[in-house]
Amino acid sequence: MTEKFQAIVIGGGPGGYVCAIRLAQLGLKTACIESRGSLGGTCLNIGCIPSKSLLNLSEEFHKIKNLSNKGIEVENVKLNLGKMMKSKDKAVTVLTKGVEFLLKKNKVTYFKGTGSFKSKNEILIKDENNKEILIQSEKIIIATGSVPVPLPGIEFDEKTIVSSTGALKLNEVPKKMVVVGGGYIGLEMGSVWSRLGADVHVVEFLDHITPGMDKEISNEFMKILKKQGINFHMQHKVENIKKNSSGAIVLTTDKDGNKKEFDCDVVLISVGRKPNTKGLNLENVGVELDKKSRIKTNKNFQTNINNIYALGDVIAGPMLAHKAEDEGVAVAENIAGQSGHVNYDTIPGVIYTTPEVASIGKTEEQLNNQNIKYKIGKFSFMANSRAKAIDDVEGFVKILADEKSDKVLGAHLIGPHAGELIAEIGIAMEFGASSEDIARTCHAHPTFSEAVKEAALSVDKRAIHS
Ligand code: FAD
Ligand code: NAD
């Protein structure tokens, strides 16, 4: 007999599993289907978590090698890449198993297999042995995430020509690595392999890295990464990649038509990700996609078929785990008759390099384009006592506030723990705070967060320590 649920979630990533747990908390009999054999989606298995593990371990390796400058003599520091990879894999396993436990605890039924629409209320699940089960539900939520975009005509073999998935499990440090695309993945994974000894060359189509980020931060970021030894080739278009016995040759053309060849052992292609709707049989139910092949939804996350919802990377908006999670909660609350919503003006973005880069709200470029008058407050970590004490002084905090009302419109940070510091500004923005509200809030001394306070003071040109 076909089992009936009140809600079925297809996809067990941060969007899907969070939605399933919230639905269950709200009393709905819920199923969650995941095809990869382990929960947590791209984020836990081949994204956020393994990349942050390797970023941390490679940073530790790099720091330890350079400790003698600070009076700590360490000899014979050696890399054991196999062990490092095992440590990363352990972090992934612990967390994915943790999600399985959470589904069980919340009485969500977990189906291992690939889900596809048989009708608008029926999902067929095929497991790895091709065994099929049909389940039914009034509400169905699509949370199938995204996959890497290849370059036209070039296939990932995940050994020489890799996506982020291959870049997270190389079994040797490449001598030379070409990274195509200077965005989130290229710069995080480029940093990992550069710290472990690879000669990293970033080939970027535009004249700046991290498009969409505040330009001043993006420029500072590139300057710092260059100092760390990463090479940048801006305004270069990749024409072709040819594999050879020792790796690959990347053929590029620059903006003036000059051709260049890069010989390397590994090429990482990180030019973006695309929504994953493959195999869902959306045509069976007529769910509409937009021009970028994302599932089209209304403000309540409903598709054109009103019992079918979608969220996370498979719909419009930034492809970030916390955005997917918040949408998961909002969808569940809407289905349960509450008023779930997501504030897209306060979704932080963080790049977990050294230093970290974090951003929230409007950039200067966006404010100028929208003719919004604003004031700027800036404070450098060079003048922050905690940063000075530990000799970690690169970067600055920049706060943008409305010229008249002083309301915080955006903040952009590059520096130590920027990814943690941005949370304070997120809360301030959610509460509609002014820069003066942040400036008059007592911040512990000596902390990096004092740089946020000083930047807020600097909006009215009254920073104390600069
Ligand atoms: P996903 O996490 O992609 O999950 C979708 C799941 O659905 C997958 O597990 C897939 O197997 C499953 N699925 C697909 N089709 C079916 C089907 N038919 N039946 C059953 N299951 C199916 N974001 C951050 O916020 N911070 C970071 O630090 C960060 N780092 C990243 C690093 C890398 C290398 C990458 C690639 C991404 C990173 N991201 C990061 C982005 C983040 O991983 C995604 O935004 C997030 O995972 C999206 O969540 P989701 O639930 O929408 O989709
Ligand atoms: P991205 O959009 O961040 O960067 C892609 C870069 O590639 C851009 O700079 C773009 O100009 C460039 N590019 C595009 N086509 C090109 C071409 N043909 N030749 C050269 N350069 C080209 O994409 P990504 O780095 O692949 O990451 C995908 C998404 O995954 C990110 O947008 C982000 O949403 C998510 N992610 C987040 C984190 C994090 O939150 N820390 C980390 C990794 C990934």
Side-chain angles (χ1 to χ4, degrees):
M1 226 183 57
T2 311
E3 191 172 0
K4 282 198 176 130
F5 291 90
Q6 288 170 293
I8 298 174
V9 183
I10 311 177
Y17 85 73
V18 167
C19 184
I21 290 175
R22 187 72 189 119
L23 282 161
Q25 283 177 347
L26 291 164
L28 279 87
K29 183 182 176 198
T30 305
C32 182
I33 310 167
E34 171 53 58
S35 58
R36 80 170 64 237
S38 95
L39 290 162
T42 301
C43 177
L44 267 60
N45 290 279
I46 49 166
C48 325
I49 297 305
S51 61
K52 265 79 264 179
S53 169
L54 287 184
L55 277 158
N56 176 59
L57 293 166
S58 58
E59 177 62 6
E60 303 244 37
F61 176 65
H62 180 78
K63 266 192 184 153
I64 288 169
K65 279 207 311 187
N66 293 296
L67 273 179
S68 61
N69 300 338
K70 298 182 178 173
I72 304 171
E73 303 289 347
V74 188
E75 279 169 21
N76 292 329
V77 181
K78 274 193 274 177
L79 174 67
N80 183 332
L81 188 61
K83 257 195 182 166
M84 190 179 271
M85 289 292 171
K86 275 200 186 128
S87 169
K88 170 217 49 166
D89 293 341
K90 190 174 152 207
V92 169
T93 307
V94 166
L95 285 166
T96 54
K97 287 277 169 223
V99 173
E100 201 168 327
F101 164 78
L102 289 175
L103 289 195
K104 212 183 230 166
K105 183 179 156 202
N106 285 281
K107 302 194 172 46
V108 173
T109 308
Y110 169 29
F111 289 97
K112 280 190 185 178
T114 303
S116 64
F117 282 91
K118 182 151 189 244
S119 71
K120 76 186 186 73
N121 296 108
E122 289 172 306
I123 299 292
L124 190 67
I125 307 167
K126 209 184 235 186
D127 73 11
E128 55 184 8
N129 303 315
N130 284 334
K131 207 177 123 212
E132 292 185 342
I133 311 172
L134 190 68
I135 56 173
Q136 272 183 15
S137 177
E138 178 48 39
K139 307 286 185 190
I140 296 177
I141 300 102
I142 305 171
T144 47
S146 64
V147 290
V149 178
L151 286 175
I154 294 161
E155 274 178 29
F156 296 118
D157 62 17
E158 300 300 5
K159 290 204 159 45
T160 304
I161 302 177
V162 300
S163 69
S164 49
T165 307
L168 286 165
K169 54 178 192 201
L170 298 178
N171 51 23
E172 238 179 279
V173 179
K175 279 193 196 66
K176 186 163 167 180
M177 180 180 212
V178 171
V179 172
V180 186
Y184 278 77
I185 292 178
L187 301 176
E188 287 189 349
M189 293 315 299
S191 291
V192 165
W193 291 107
S194 165
R195 291 166 192 166
L196 296 181
D199 177 20
V200 173
H201 290 255
V202 177
V203 174
E204 167 59 53
F205 190 66
L206 301 175
D207 64 355
H208 60 282
I209 55 170
T210 57
M213 185 174 282
D214 191 274
K215 266 279 186 65
E216 191 181 6
I217 294 277
S218 159
N219 292 340
E220 180 71 12
F221 188 27
M222 188 157 116
K223 238 195 279 167
I224 294 174
L225 291 176
K226 272 186 183 167
K227 262 202 307 190
Q228 291 176 7
I230 296 183
N231 305 283
F232 287 90
H233 308 274
M234 307 307 287
Q235 294 180 288
H236 275 61
K237 185 169 181 275
V238 174
E239 301 290 354
N240 202 354
I241 302 176
K242 287 188 193 149
K243 285 210 271 182
N244 59 20
S245 56
S246 60
I249 299 178
V250 182
L251 300 121
T252 66
T253 311
D254 72 11
K255 66 176 193 331
D256 303 316
N258 301 314
K259 297 198 181 311
K260 209 190 271 179
E261 291 189 358
F262 296 85
D263 238 321
C264 59
D265 331 44
V266 174
V267 191
L268 163 62
I269 310 223
S270 46
V271 295
R273 294 176 62 83
K274 60 179 181 187
N276 176 25
T277 51
K278 210 174 128 197
L280 280 172
N281 270 341
L282 291 183
E283 38 310 333
N284 270 0
V285 277
V287 168
E288 281 176 12
L289 305 184
D290 68 13
K291 279 188 201 138
K292 293 183 173 170
S293 304
R294 302 173 296 201
I295 294 179
K296 240 195 211 168
T297 52
N298 65 16
K299 66 175 178 20
N300 294 323
F301 306 96
Q302 274 168 308
T303 68
N304 59 312
I305 310 296
N306 66 11
N307 71 307
I308 302 177
Y309 296 70
L311 59 90
D313 278 12
V314 80
I315 69 167
M319 289 183 168
L320 297 171
H322 40 284
K323 176 259 193 190
E325 287 188 40
D326 284 7
E327 288 178 344
V329 170
V331 168
E333 291 180 351
N334 285 337
I335 287 176
Q338 299 183 355
S339 317
H341 83 288
V342 176
N343 182 357
Y344 290 96
D345 291 333
T346 55
I347 295 180
V350 178
I351 306 183
Y352 297 84
T353 42
T354 301
E356 289 183 351
V357 179
S359 171
I360 192 165
K362 301 266 191 262
T363 62
E364 274 203 72
E365 291 71 32
Q366 286 170 328
L367 292 172
N368 287 325
N369 284 340
Q370 293 167 22
N371 280 325
I372 299 171
K373 299 263 180 283
Y374 59 95
K375 304 178 280 185
I376 306 177
K378 255 198 320 196
F379 192 79
S380 166
F381 282 101
M382 190 69 89
N384 171 270
S385 53
R386 179 69 176 274
K388 274 265 196 232
I390 65 162
D391 191 21
D392 194 356
V393 293
E394 274 178 322
F396 57 89
V397 178
K398 170 169 163 179
I399 294 180
L400 305 172
D402 187 86
E403 190 180 78
K404 276 209 180 110
S405 68
D406 191 36
K407 188 174 170 181
V408 177
L409 303 173
H412 309 280
L413 286 71
I414 179 164
H417 304 282
E420 303 294 334
L421 297 177
I422 200 80
E424 165 180 4
I425 307 197
I427 291 175
M429 287 177 73
E430 276 293 337
F431 280 83
S434 62
S435 74
E436 187 180 350
D437 289 324
I438 299 178
R440 290 194 183 277
T441 302
C442 189
H443 288 66
H445 174 78
T447 59
F448 301 111
S449 71
E450 286 174 292
V452 173
K453 175 183 170 144
E454 290 273 4
L457 280 165
S458 146
V459 171
D460 266 336
K461 302 194 172 27
R462 56 195 191 94
I464 301 292
H465 294 94
S466 71

